[in-house]
Each structure stands twice: as structure tokens, then as C-alpha cells.
Amino acid sequence: MTDAAKQKILAKYWDTEVTCPGCGEEIRDSDDLSKVEYVRTKRKTDIFFHAECFGKIWRE
């Protein structure tokens, strides 16, 4: 997924803050999104997290 596509999805959440479930830091659309991953679950929940926090969220 491109950074522009991630920014477009993040723009939907302009009234709430998007936090990384691994570290708890806020993810903004002005951040470097090349290090941010995006997952859309089967229940249509959008999850954004830092690539280095992947191991904290899901076990490999």
C-alpha cells in the first residue's frame, strides 16, 4: 500500500487520534508513513501500527 493511500485512510479519522497498539504513540498523517503498517480486519476495523511494533502486537 502506498503512503498516499495510507494518508487517505487516516484522513477518515480526523476527529479521533489513531494510536499504535504496540507502543501507544499517536500516528498522524504528517508522519513518515513508510514505517507505518495498515491492516483491515474481516470485521472492517482499521489498525495502524509501526513496523517495529509488529512483534508486540502479534506473535510471529
Side-chain angles (χ1 to χ4, degrees):
M1 176 174 273
T2 64
D3 291 345
K6 291 177 193 176
Q7 283 180 338
K8 186 176 179 181
I9 295 168
L10 267 173
K12 291 186 209 177
Y13 299 100
W14 62 270
D15 59 341
T16 60
E17 66 179 35
V18 177
T19 58
C20 173
C23 63
E25 291 184 18
E26 186 177 353
I27 298 174
R28 297 184 183 99
D29 57 350
S30 60
D31 293 344
D32 180 23
L33 296 179
S34 64
K35 298 177 183 172
V36 174
E37 300 294 328
Y38 167 74
V39 174
R40 175 105 180 191
T41 65
K42 65 181 177 182
R43 294 185 178 158
K44 309 226 189 276
T45 303
D46 297 326
I47 301 173
F48 288 92
F49 58 92
H50 298 109
E52 62 266 6
C53 295
F54 179 80
K56 296 177 186 176
I57 302 168
W58 289 287
R59 297 187 183 197
E60 298 180 60

